[in-house]
Amino acid sequence: MDTVLVTGGAGFIGSHVCEELLKSCKVICLDSIGSDDGRRGIVNALSQPNFAFVSADITGNIEQVFQQRRIDCVVHLAAKTGVRHSILDPKSYFAVNVNGTLNILNLCRKYKVKKMVFASSSSVYGSANAPFTESQQCLPDSPYGVSKLAAEHLCRIYSSLYGMNIVCLRFFTVYGPRGRADMAPFIFTDRISRDQPITVFGDGSSMRDYTYVKDAVSAVMAAMSSDLVFEVINVGNSRPVKLIDFIAVVEKLLGKKADIAVAPNQPGDMKATCADIAKARKLLNYNPAASVEQGMAEFVEWYKHKGFG
């Protein structure tokens, strides 16, 4: 049985990846969240014999994790996320997303881990014309996007220099159960359910390519099992949804109307995202199954079941 290290494994996407991996692998979950509340997403995994949790920061000394166990693959999801906050604190984003990734790559090189899947972001594209293709020039609009693009280049260099098989997955607005509280699906669901106003930046015409978390996990699993030497691959739904239409989906699921407050567009926010997923279909046999209506129905059920509303 292979042993897989998942950095950021207690987080949103990471906890879903850990759950799927535990069906066939031994899993080491490395995450800087030390509190029980932060581990909520992996509470069921903690009691499983093939699961180990390590509380640590990817920018620190984590060599012992590689020394103590033979790691066959790393799924590197740990990162500082969010476009707007990266504008306020760019230094911390580079410390984690660039230097932290470099730390992981160096340890993979030293301990001969030959396979890695890296979580990149649609933010690397900036204001490019949609749909975004992997071959087009990337000019990010935020420090977050720059940090992810820089980390991709480090992956490319290490793959070339040291013979590591690395797949960089550019995720497009992943959502679903256990989704991050700072993202629109959670914020809108939470505030509308509580009869609190929501803020819409701009006129509501901005568009996002929403990717259901189970579809994102399927791409991670396919990338792990592939023999790709180095690739950058979009992981999206390829069906962008206007912000105002996304709000309407949430309203219908909750049976409530949103109280909308309009605010100016935010610096660094992209007008539209849309993934060209032809490469993912070809190389990973990737076929996103969930529509926004289906995915958000599952998210809302999770939200209600967990007692947030």
Side-chain angles (χ1 to χ4, degrees):
M1 178 181 285
D2 287 348
T3 298
V4 181
L5 171 64
V6 183
T7 72
F12 167 39
I13 299 175
S15 63
H16 286 275
V17 169
C18 287
E19 282 182 350
E20 188 64 27
L21 285 171
L22 280 169
K23 296 175 183 178
S24 58
C25 302
K26 295 179 181 178
V27 176
I28 306 167
C29 170
L30 188 150
D31 204 294
S32 60
I33 300 296
S35 67
D36 290 339
D37 184 61
R39 300 179 199 180
R40 185 170 53 198
I42 55 169
V43 64
N44 293 329
L46 288 169
S47 61
Q48 295 195 36
N50 289 329
F51 183 83
F53 178 79
V54 178
S55 179
D57 191 313
I58 59 169
T59 64
N61 183 2
I62 55 172
E63 186 166 1
Q64 191 174 31
V65 176
F66 288 78
Q67 287 175 330
Q68 292 178 342
R69 307 166 179 89
R70 181 185 180 277
I71 296 170
D72 300 287
C73 177
V74 172
V75 179
H76 179 32
L77 303 171
K80 280 189 72 71
T81 57
V83 166
R84 294 170 189 164
H85 190 67
S86 76
I87 294 172
L88 301 174
D89 185 20
K91 187 175 181 180
S92 68
Y93 277 73
F94 279 76
V96 175
N97 298 351
V98 180
N99 293 340
T101 298
L102 184 59
N103 193 25
I104 295 294
L105 286 167
N106 276 324
L107 288 167
C108 286
R109 172 189 57 78
K110 182 174 180 178
Y111 290 93
K112 298 182 175 14
V113 180
K114 291 297 185 180
K115 185 171 286 191
M116 184 168 112
V117 179
F118 169 65
S120 188
S121 168
S122 60
S123 294
V124 301
Y125 288 108
S127 299
N129 292 328
F132 301 152
T133 61
E134 295 89 346
S135 61
Q136 72 190 80
Q137 184 181 24
C138 293
L139 293 172
D141 291 332
S142 66
Y144 170 63
V146 174
S147 71
K148 282 295 186 179
L149 187 58
E152 282 186 12
H153 285 301
L154 287 173
C155 290
R156 174 180 55 81
I157 291 166
Y158 270 67
S159 175
S160 175
L161 290 176
Y162 305 113
M164 297 166 60
N165 288 10
I166 304 178
V167 179
C168 300
L169 301 178
R170 290 176 176 170
F171 290 120
F172 283 67
T173 315
V174 181
Y175 72 101
R178 301 200 293 270
R180 283 167 35 206
D182 64 331
M183 291 185 67
F186 192 104
I187 292 171
F188 291 161
T189 300
D190 184 60
R191 296 190 70 84
I192 293 172
S193 70
R194 298 175 187 272
D195 299 311
Q196 296 178 349
I198 62 172
T199 301
V200 169
F201 297 101
D203 60 5
S205 66
S206 62
M207 303 178 74
R208 290 292 179 270
D209 192 348
Y210 293 96
T211 311
Y212 190 53
V213 65
K214 290 181 182 177
D215 290 325
V217 171
S218 75
V220 172
M221 299 300 292
M224 279 183 53
S225 62
S226 75
D227 292 320
L228 299 170
V229 176
F230 177 79
E231 294 289 349
V232 176
I233 303 175
N234 288 338
V235 176
N237 200 37
S238 205
R239 289 177 282 181
V241 178
K242 284 186 178 180
L243 178 58
I244 201 68
D245 294 334
F246 183 82
I247 293 170
V249 170
V250 179
E251 289 176 324
K252 183 177 180 180
L253 289 168
L254 293 174
K256 292 185 175 185
K257 293 294 291 183
D259 178 8
I260 297 175
V262 178
N265 287 316
Q266 294 291 288
D269 279 2
M270 300 158 73
K271 178 64 177 175
T273 65
C274 177
D276 181 325
I277 56 174
K279 189 174 181 180
R281 291 188 190 278
K282 179 181 178 181
L283 298 182
L284 302 178
N285 196 28
Y286 172 70
N287 185 32
S291 67
V292 166
E293 291 79 8
Q294 293 167 329
M296 281 305 296
E298 291 199 27
F299 174 81
V300 169
E301 282 304 306
W302 167 81
Y303 174 89
K304 291 178 177 179
H305 177 69
K306 289 300 180 182
F308 290 111

